[in-house]
Amino acid sequence: MLAITTILFGLFGLAVGSFLNLCIDRLPQGKSIVRPGSHCDSCNQSLKAIDLVPVFSYLWLRGRCRYCGARIPLRSPIVEFATAAIFAFLAWHYGLSLELAFAVVYAGIFIVIFAIDLEQELILNVVVFPAMILAFAFSFFWGGFEEFWPKSGPGFVLSALMGGAVGFVLMLLPYALTRGRGMGYGDVKLAAFIGLMSGFPLVIVALLVGIVVGGLVAVFLLLSRMVKSRKAAIPYGPFLAVGAMVALIWGDKIFHWWWSMGAQ
Ligand SMILES: [Zn+2]
Protein backbone atom coordinates (compact mmCIF):
# COMPACT_ATOMS: atom_id res chain seq x y z
CA MET A 1 0.00 0.00 0.00
CA LEU A 2 2.78 2.43 0.94
CA ALA A 3 4.61 1.58 -2.29
CA ILE A 4 1.50 2.39 -4.35
CA THR A 5 0.94 5.67 -2.48
CA THR A 6 4.58 6.60 -3.05
CA ILE A 7 4.43 5.91 -6.79
CA LEU A 8 1.08 7.71 -7.19
CA PHE A 9 2.37 10.78 -5.36
CA GLY A 10 5.50 10.71 -7.52
CA LEU A 11 3.32 10.86 -10.65
CA PHE A 12 1.12 13.52 -9.04
CA GLY A 13 4.33 15.47 -8.32
CA LEU A 14 5.30 15.38 -12.01
CA ALA A 15 2.00 17.03 -12.95
CA VAL A 16 2.19 19.54 -10.09
CA GLY A 17 5.80 20.33 -11.06
CA SER A 18 4.58 21.28 -14.52
CA PHE A 19 2.12 23.75 -12.94
CA LEU A 20 4.84 25.08 -10.61
CA ASN A 21 6.96 25.88 -13.69
CA LEU A 22 4.10 27.97 -15.00
CA CYS A 23 3.91 29.80 -11.64
CA ILE A 24 7.69 30.36 -11.66
CA ASP A 25 7.48 31.80 -15.20
CA ARG A 26 4.44 34.00 -14.73
CA LEU A 27 4.24 35.20 -11.14
CA PRO A 28 7.36 37.45 -11.36
CA GLN A 29 5.81 39.10 -14.43
CA GLY A 30 2.51 39.67 -12.65
CA LYS A 31 0.68 37.42 -15.12
CA SER A 32 -2.28 35.17 -14.36
CA ILE A 33 -1.45 31.55 -13.57
CA VAL A 34 -4.90 30.46 -14.77
CA ARG A 35 -5.20 32.04 -18.21
CA PRO A 36 -4.12 31.73 -20.94
CA GLY A 37 -3.27 28.03 -21.12
CA SER A 38 0.30 26.83 -21.59
CA HIS A 39 1.95 28.27 -24.66
CA CYS A 40 5.43 28.80 -26.05
CA ASP A 41 6.80 32.17 -24.93
CA SER A 42 8.64 32.60 -28.24
CA CYS A 43 6.06 31.74 -30.89
CA ASN A 44 2.86 31.94 -28.78
CA GLN A 45 1.72 28.57 -30.15
CA SER A 46 -0.55 26.99 -27.54
CA LEU A 47 0.85 23.67 -26.43
CA LYS A 48 -0.95 20.35 -26.77
CA ALA A 49 -1.09 17.62 -24.15
CA ILE A 50 1.71 15.74 -25.91
CA ASP A 51 4.01 18.79 -25.57
CA LEU A 52 3.29 19.02 -21.86
CA VAL A 53 4.16 15.54 -20.58
CA PRO A 54 6.47 16.36 -17.66
CA VAL A 55 10.17 15.57 -18.16
CA PHE A 56 9.48 13.24 -21.10
CA SER A 57 8.39 15.98 -23.53
CA TYR A 58 11.59 17.87 -22.74
CA LEU A 59 13.73 14.80 -23.46
CA TRP A 60 11.71 13.80 -26.54
CA LEU A 61 11.88 17.32 -28.02
CA ARG A 62 15.54 17.67 -26.94
CA GLY A 63 14.75 20.83 -24.96
CA ARG A 64 13.26 22.79 -27.85
CA CYS A 65 9.80 24.05 -28.78
CA ARG A 66 8.21 21.69 -31.32
CA TYR A 67 6.86 24.62 -33.35
CA CYS A 68 9.59 27.27 -33.45
CA GLY A 69 12.66 25.50 -32.04
CA ALA A 70 13.17 27.98 -29.17
CA ARG A 71 15.04 26.55 -26.20
CA ILE A 72 13.00 25.37 -23.23
CA PRO A 73 14.87 26.23 -20.02
CA LEU A 74 16.52 23.25 -18.32
CA ARG A 75 14.79 24.43 -15.16
CA SER A 76 11.48 23.00 -16.47
CA PRO A 77 12.37 19.29 -16.32
CA ILE A 78 14.47 19.86 -13.17
CA VAL A 79 11.48 21.36 -11.31
CA GLU A 80 9.20 18.59 -12.59
CA PHE A 81 11.58 15.85 -11.56
CA ALA A 82 12.38 17.46 -8.18
CA THR A 83 8.67 17.92 -7.38
CA ALA A 84 8.02 14.26 -8.25
CA ALA A 85 10.93 13.07 -6.09
CA ILE A 86 9.95 15.26 -3.11
CA PHE A 87 6.25 14.28 -3.32
CA ALA A 88 7.20 10.58 -3.52
CA PHE A 89 9.50 10.95 -0.52
CA LEU A 90 6.83 12.79 1.50
CA ALA A 91 4.26 10.07 0.68
CA TRP A 92 6.72 7.41 1.82
CA HIS A 93 7.57 9.39 4.96
CA TYR A 94 4.05 10.32 6.11
CA GLY A 95 1.88 7.66 4.50
CA LEU A 96 -1.61 8.58 3.32
CA SER A 97 -2.61 11.19 5.94
CA LEU A 98 -3.61 14.76 6.62
CA GLU A 99 0.06 15.54 7.34
CA LEU A 100 0.95 14.39 3.82
CA ALA A 101 -1.63 16.76 2.32
CA PHE A 102 -0.18 19.71 4.26
CA ALA A 103 3.41 18.68 3.50
CA VAL A 104 2.93 18.54 -0.30
CA VAL A 105 1.27 21.98 -0.28
CA TYR A 106 4.25 23.40 1.64
CA ALA A 107 6.70 21.62 -0.69
CA GLY A 108 5.01 23.18 -3.73
CA ILE A 109 5.20 26.66 -2.20
CA PHE A 110 8.86 26.24 -1.27
CA ILE A 111 9.81 24.98 -4.75
CA VAL A 112 8.25 28.13 -6.27
CA ILE A 113 10.02 30.38 -3.71
CA PHE A 114 13.32 28.53 -4.27
CA ALA A 115 13.25 28.85 -8.07
CA ILE A 116 12.00 32.46 -8.28
CA ASP A 117 14.54 33.68 -5.71
CA LEU A 118 17.37 31.82 -7.48
CA GLU A 119 16.42 33.19 -10.90
CA GLN A 120 15.14 36.68 -10.07
CA GLU A 121 16.45 37.31 -6.54
CA LEU A 122 12.89 38.07 -5.55
CA ILE A 123 10.56 36.77 -2.87
CA LEU A 124 7.11 37.75 -4.08
CA ASN A 125 4.36 39.07 -1.81
CA VAL A 126 1.86 37.28 -4.03
CA VAL A 127 3.49 34.01 -2.93
CA VAL A 128 4.52 34.67 0.64
CA PHE A 129 1.37 36.43 1.95
CA PRO A 130 -1.09 33.72 0.85
CA ALA A 131 1.43 31.17 2.19
CA MET A 132 1.28 32.88 5.62
CA ILE A 133 -2.52 32.75 5.67
CA LEU A 134 -2.41 29.08 4.66
CA ALA A 135 0.14 28.21 7.36
CA PHE A 136 -1.99 29.95 9.98
CA ALA A 137 -5.07 28.02 8.81
CA PHE A 138 -3.17 24.70 8.79
CA SER A 139 -1.98 25.32 12.36
CA PHE A 140 -5.54 24.67 13.57
CA PHE A 141 -5.04 21.06 12.47
CA TRP A 142 -1.32 20.35 12.60
CA GLY A 143 1.56 21.40 14.81
CA GLY A 144 5.09 20.16 14.54
CA PHE A 145 6.24 19.99 18.14
CA GLU A 146 4.08 18.42 20.78
CA GLU A 147 6.27 18.61 23.89
CA PHE A 148 6.04 22.39 24.29
CA TRP A 149 2.38 22.82 23.53
CA PRO A 150 -0.91 21.19 24.45
CA LYS A 151 -1.79 18.60 21.85
CA SER A 152 -5.05 20.33 20.93
CA GLY A 153 -5.79 22.94 18.27
CA PRO A 154 -5.28 26.14 20.30
CA GLY A 155 -1.80 25.01 21.39
CA PHE A 156 -0.69 24.54 17.80
CA VAL A 157 -2.11 27.93 16.78
CA LEU A 158 -0.21 29.57 19.63
CA SER A 159 2.93 27.69 18.56
CA ALA A 160 2.48 28.93 14.97
CA LEU A 161 1.93 32.56 16.00
CA MET A 162 4.97 32.52 18.27
CA GLY A 163 7.03 30.80 15.55
CA GLY A 164 6.00 33.46 13.03
CA ALA A 165 6.90 36.28 15.44
CA VAL A 166 10.28 34.71 16.32
CA GLY A 167 11.12 34.09 12.64
CA PHE A 168 10.21 37.67 11.76
CA VAL A 169 12.29 39.20 14.58
CA LEU A 170 15.30 36.88 14.08
CA MET A 171 15.58 37.93 10.43
CA LEU A 172 14.57 41.55 11.00
CA LEU A 173 17.66 42.10 13.19
CA PRO A 174 20.29 41.27 10.53
CA TYR A 175 18.15 43.09 7.94
CA ALA A 176 18.08 46.24 10.08
CA LEU A 177 21.78 45.97 11.06
CA THR A 178 22.95 45.63 7.44
CA ARG A 179 20.36 48.21 6.31
CA GLY A 180 19.05 45.70 3.80
CA ARG A 181 22.39 45.17 2.06
CA GLY A 182 22.98 41.72 3.58
CA MET A 183 19.53 40.37 2.91
CA GLY A 184 16.29 41.66 1.50
CA TYR A 185 13.03 42.38 3.29
CA GLY A 186 11.65 39.43 1.33
CA ASP A 187 13.81 37.15 3.48
CA VAL A 188 12.23 38.64 6.61
CA LYS A 189 8.71 37.94 5.32
CA LEU A 190 9.80 34.46 4.26
CA ALA A 191 11.13 33.79 7.78
CA ALA A 192 7.75 34.86 9.22
CA PHE A 193 6.00 32.35 6.92
CA ILE A 194 8.49 29.61 7.87
CA GLY A 195 7.86 30.37 11.55
CA LEU A 196 4.08 30.16 11.10
CA MET A 197 4.58 26.82 9.36
CA SER A 198 7.03 25.18 11.73
CA GLY A 199 5.94 26.87 14.98
CA PHE A 200 8.08 27.50 18.02
CA PRO A 201 10.72 26.20 18.78
CA LEU A 202 11.17 24.42 15.42
CA VAL A 203 11.42 27.79 13.61
CA ILE A 204 14.92 28.05 15.13
CA VAL A 205 15.85 24.65 13.66
CA ALA A 206 14.50 25.74 10.26
CA LEU A 207 16.42 29.04 10.16
CA LEU A 208 19.66 27.55 11.52
CA VAL A 209 19.61 24.66 9.03
CA GLY A 210 18.99 27.18 6.24
CA ILE A 211 21.85 29.44 7.35
CA VAL A 212 24.27 26.50 7.80
CA VAL A 213 23.42 25.02 4.39
CA GLY A 214 23.72 28.51 2.83
CA GLY A 215 27.10 29.03 4.49
CA LEU A 216 28.42 25.66 3.28
CA VAL A 217 27.29 26.34 -0.28
CA ALA A 218 28.80 29.86 -0.18
CA VAL A 219 32.16 28.45 0.99
CA PHE A 220 32.03 25.80 -1.72
CA LEU A 221 31.25 28.41 -4.40
CA LEU A 222 34.10 30.64 -3.19
CA LEU A 223 36.62 27.77 -3.03
CA SER A 224 35.63 26.48 -6.45
CA ARG A 225 35.81 30.08 -7.75
CA MET A 226 32.32 29.84 -9.18
CA VAL A 227 31.71 33.23 -7.60
CA LYS A 228 34.54 35.75 -7.65
CA SER A 229 34.22 37.75 -4.46
CA ARG A 230 32.57 37.52 -1.09
CA LYS A 231 30.58 40.60 -2.08
CA ALA A 232 28.71 38.71 -4.80
CA ALA A 233 25.14 38.42 -3.58
CA ILE A 234 23.87 34.93 -2.89
CA PRO A 235 20.11 34.85 -2.33
CA TYR A 236 19.08 33.48 1.09
CA GLY A 237 15.59 32.41 0.08
CA PRO A 238 16.52 29.05 -1.47
CA PHE A 239 18.51 28.05 1.63
CA LEU A 240 15.76 29.16 3.99
CA ALA A 241 13.33 27.10 1.89
CA VAL A 242 15.58 24.03 2.20
CA GLY A 243 15.94 24.59 5.96
CA ALA A 244 12.17 24.90 6.31
CA MET A 245 11.53 21.60 4.51
CA VAL A 246 14.21 19.84 6.59
CA ALA A 247 12.63 21.23 9.78
CA LEU A 248 9.17 20.22 8.58
CA ILE A 249 10.25 16.60 8.09
CA TRP A 250 12.96 16.07 10.75
CA GLY A 251 12.68 19.19 12.95
CA ASP A 252 11.54 17.39 16.10
CA LYS A 253 14.34 14.78 15.74
CA ILE A 254 16.97 17.52 15.27
CA PHE A 255 15.62 19.45 18.24
CA HIS A 256 15.67 16.38 20.49
CA TRP A 257 19.24 15.66 19.38
CA TRP A 258 20.32 19.23 20.32
CA TRP A 259 18.47 18.90 23.61
CA SER A 260 20.30 15.68 24.50
CA MET A 261 23.65 17.24 23.51
CA GLY A 262 22.94 20.16 25.85
CA ALA A 263 21.98 17.85 28.69
CA GLN A 264 25.29 16.00 28.67
ZN1 LIG B 1 7.73 28.07 -29.92
Side-chain angles (χ1 to χ4, degrees):
M1 182 60 197
L2 187 61
I4 296 169
T5 311
T6 302
I7 292 167
L8 284 179
F9 266 77
L11 293 173
F12 176 52
L14 277 179
V16 171
S18 177
F19 172 69
L20 298 182
N21 271 314
L22 189 138
C23 295
I24 295 162
D25 284 330
R26 293 190 189 177
L27 288 176
Q29 303 177 45
K31 289 184 187 163
S32 163
I33 54 171
V34 184
R35 269 192 262 200
S38 296
H39 57 88
C40 170
D41 280 331
S42 295
C43 64
N44 263 329
Q45 170 74 43
S46 55
L47 300 177
K48 301 192 184 79
I50 187 135
D51 304 319
L52 292 168
V53 183
V55 181
F56 297 100
S57 288
Y58 182 88
L59 296 174
W60 173 248
L61 298 168
R62 296 206 178 91
R64 286 180 183 280
C65 169
R66 181 196 298 279
Y67 308 97
C68 70
R71 280 207 167 279
I72 302 164
L74 186 59
R75 184 253 290 155
S76 287
I78 291 176
V79 163
E80 286 158 357
F81 181 79
T83 310
I86 292 168
F87 276 30
F89 173 78
L90 291 172
W92 175 78
H93 181 80
Y94 289 106
L96 208 53
S97 60
L98 192 61
E99 284 89 342
L100 175 60
F102 292 153
V104 295
V105 170
Y106 284 136
I109 292 170
F110 282 122
I111 290 166
V112 169
I113 289 173
F114 184 104
I116 292 178
D117 198 19
L118 203 63
E119 288 180 355
Q120 317 271 346
E121 298 191 14
L122 278 176
I123 292 168
L124 300 173
N125 287 339
V126 73
V127 176
V128 86
F129 285 148
M132 283 184 197
I133 294 168
L134 209 62
F136 179 68
F138 283 2
S139 76
F140 283 82
F141 306 97
W142 188 30
F145 205 67
E146 287 159 2
E147 282 85 341
F148 272 53
W149 305 94
K151 219 171 171 173
S152 57
F156 290 158
V157 175
L158 219 60
S159 163
L161 289 174
M162 194 168 158
V166 168
F168 182 78
V169 171
L170 279 182
M171 289 307 246
L172 189 65
L173 286 175
Y175 171 76
L177 287 175
T178 60
R179 296 201 182 102
R181 276 174 307 202
M183 59 176 60
Y185 193 59
D187 295 312
V188 182
K189 288 179 278 189
L190 175 57
F193 160 53
I194 290 172
L196 277 168
M197 178 201 77
S198 46
F200 184 84
L202 295 189
V203 60
I204 297 167
V205 177
L207 296 182
L208 273 181
V209 170
I211 288 164
V212 168
V213 171
L216 290 176
V217 170
V219 167
F220 172 78
L221 290 178
L222 280 171
L223 289 179
S224 64
R225 291 167 196 264
M226 283 168 77
V227 291
K228 289 269 152 47
S229 81
R230 275 182 294 158
K231 290 211 176 95
I234 299 172
Y236 277 89
F239 302 117
L240 294 179
V242 169
M245 281 308 288
V246 168
L248 182 73
I249 300 166
W250 297 290
D252 47 351
K253 286 209 178 76
I254 296 172
F255 194 85
H256 285 137
W257 176 65
W258 284 355
W259 204 254
S260 64
M261 300 269 283
Q264 275 166 13

Coordinates of all heavy atoms in Angstrom, one line a residue, residues 28 112-113 115-124 186 235:
P28 N 6.5 36.3 -11.4 CA 7.4 37.4 -11.4 C 7.0 38.5 -12.4 O 7.3 39.7 -12.2 CB 8.8 36.9 -11.7 CG 8.7 35.4 -11.4 CD 7.3 35.0 -11.7
V112 N 8.5 26.9 -5.5 CA 8.3 28.1 -6.3 C 9.1 29.2 -5.7 O 9.8 30.0 -6.4 CB 6.8 28.5 -6.2 CG1 6.6 30.0 -6.7 CG2 5.9 27.6 -7.0
I113 N 9.2 29.4 -4.4 CA 10.0 30.4 -3.7 C 11.5 30.2 -4.1 O 12.2 31.1 -4.4 CB 9.8 30.4 -2.2 CG1 8.4 30.9 -1.8 CG2 10.9 31.2 -1.5 CD1 8.0 30.8 -0.4
A115 N 12.9 28.6 -6.7 CA 13.2 28.8 -8.1 C 13.2 30.3 -8.4 O 14.1 30.9 -9.1 CB 12.3 28.0 -9.0
I116 N 12.1 31.0 -7.9 CA 12.0 32.5 -8.3 C 13.1 33.3 -7.6 O 13.7 34.2 -8.2 CB 10.6 33.0 -7.9 CG1 9.5 32.4 -8.7 CG2 10.6 34.5 -8.0 CD1 8.1 32.8 -8.4
D117 N 13.5 32.9 -6.4 CA 14.5 33.7 -5.7 C 15.9 33.4 -6.4 O 16.7 34.3 -6.5 CB 14.6 33.3 -4.2 CG 15.4 34.4 -3.4 OD1 15.5 35.5 -4.0 OD2 15.8 34.1 -2.3
L118 N 16.1 32.2 -6.8 CA 17.4 31.8 -7.5 C 17.5 32.5 -8.8 O 18.5 33.1 -9.2 CB 17.4 30.3 -7.7 CG 18.8 29.7 -7.9 CD1 19.6 29.9 -6.6 CD2 18.6 28.2 -8.2
E119 N 16.4 32.6 -9.6 CA 16.4 33.2 -10.9 C 16.3 34.7 -10.9 O 17.0 35.4 -11.6 CB 15.3 32.6 -11.8 CG 15.5 31.2 -12.2 CD 14.3 30.6 -13.0 OE1 13.3 31.3 -13.2 OE2 14.5 29.5 -13.4
Q120 N 15.4 35.2 -10.0 CA 15.1 36.7 -10.1 C 15.6 37.4 -8.8 O 15.5 38.7 -8.8 CB 13.6 36.9 -10.2 CG 12.9 36.0 -11.1 CD 12.9 36.5 -12.5 OE1 13.1 37.7 -12.7 NE2 12.5 35.7 -13.5
E121 N 16.1 36.7 -7.8 CA 16.5 37.3 -6.5 C 15.3 38.1 -6.0 O 15.4 39.3 -5.6 CB 17.7 38.2 -6.6 CG 18.9 37.3 -7.0 CD 20.3 38.0 -6.9 OE1 20.3 39.0 -6.3 OE2 21.2 37.4 -7.4
L122 N 14.1 37.5 -6.0 CA 12.9 38.1 -5.5 C 12.1 37.1 -4.7 O 12.1 35.9 -5.0 CB 12.0 38.4 -6.7 CG 12.2 39.7 -7.5 CD1 11.2 39.8 -8.7 CD2 12.0 40.9 -6.6
I123 N 11.5 37.6 -3.6 CA 10.6 36.8 -2.9 C 9.3 37.5 -3.0 O 9.1 38.7 -2.4 CB 11.0 36.5 -1.4 CG1 12.2 35.6 -1.4 CG2 9.9 35.9 -0.6 CD1 12.9 35.5 -0.1
L124 N 8.3 37.0 -3.7 CA 7.1 37.8 -4.1 C 6.1 37.8 -3.0 O 5.8 36.7 -2.4 CB 6.5 37.1 -5.3 CG 7.4 37.1 -6.6 CD1 6.7 36.3 -7.7 CD2 7.7 38.5 -7.1
G186 N 12.3 40.7 1.7 CA 11.7 39.4 1.3 C 12.1 38.3 2.2 O 11.2 37.4 2.6
P235 N 21.4 34.7 -3.0 CA 20.1 34.9 -2.3 C 19.9 33.9 -1.2 O 20.4 32.7 -1.3 CB 19.1 34.6 -3.5 CG 19.9 33.9 -4.5 CD 21.4 34.3 -4.4

